[in-house]
Amino acid sequence: MRKPSRALSEGSDDLRPEYRFDYSKARPNPYAARLKGKAVAVVLDAEVAVAFPTSQSVNTALRAVMVARRSKRRPGAASRRSNNKLQLRSARAKKPRR
């Protein structure tokens, strides 16, 4: 079995000098307010990321799925919902007002 090198075991708690960050010089992101509520991050599985390498390709595919779902809906489903609303409105209209 190999022994760990001395350099790693001695300073394992400290970062290398190039990775040390001076938090006193940090500033808030001036553009964060513009992105609030607009940006969404989604993690893709590796095989999906291979098939869709760019965000544009993912969005195109998802929009196609949305269109296909709309066209697959039952033809009478939307009309029944609107008929129910019309029936409720007409029932309310028939009630005598005080």
Side-chain angles (χ1 to χ4, degrees):
M1 202 152 95
R2 247 173 112 183
K3 291 184 179 180
S5 68
R6 272 187 166 171
L8 290 177
S9 62
E10 287 176 4
S12 63
D13 292 338
D14 295 336
L15 292 174
R16 291 182 178 176
E18 60 266 23
Y19 293 118
R20 290 194 184 117
F21 184 74
D22 187 6
Y23 287 96
S24 66
K25 295 179 182 177
R27 297 179 308 171
N29 183 354
Y31 306 105
R34 292 183 192 174
L35 295 175
K36 191 157 188 137
K38 293 182 182 179
V40 177
V42 178
V43 179
L44 301 175
D45 289 338
E47 63 269 9
V48 175
V50 169
F52 300 101
T54 64
S55 62
Q56 184 179 4
S57 63
V58 172
N59 287 330
T60 303
L62 290 176
R63 284 188 181 105
V65 170
M66 289 168 40
V67 168
R69 285 193 69 205
R70 281 188 214 133
S71 65
K72 283 187 177 181
R73 287 186 181 166
R74 294 182 304 204
S79 62
R80 276 186 282 226
R81 270 188 247 122
S82 60
N83 284 342
N84 288 340
K85 287 181 183 178
L86 289 174
Q87 289 173 357
L88 289 174
R89 287 182 188 156
S90 63
R92 288 181 191 153
K94 291 179 184 176
K95 289 183 182 178
R97 294 187 180 188
R98 295 181 184 182

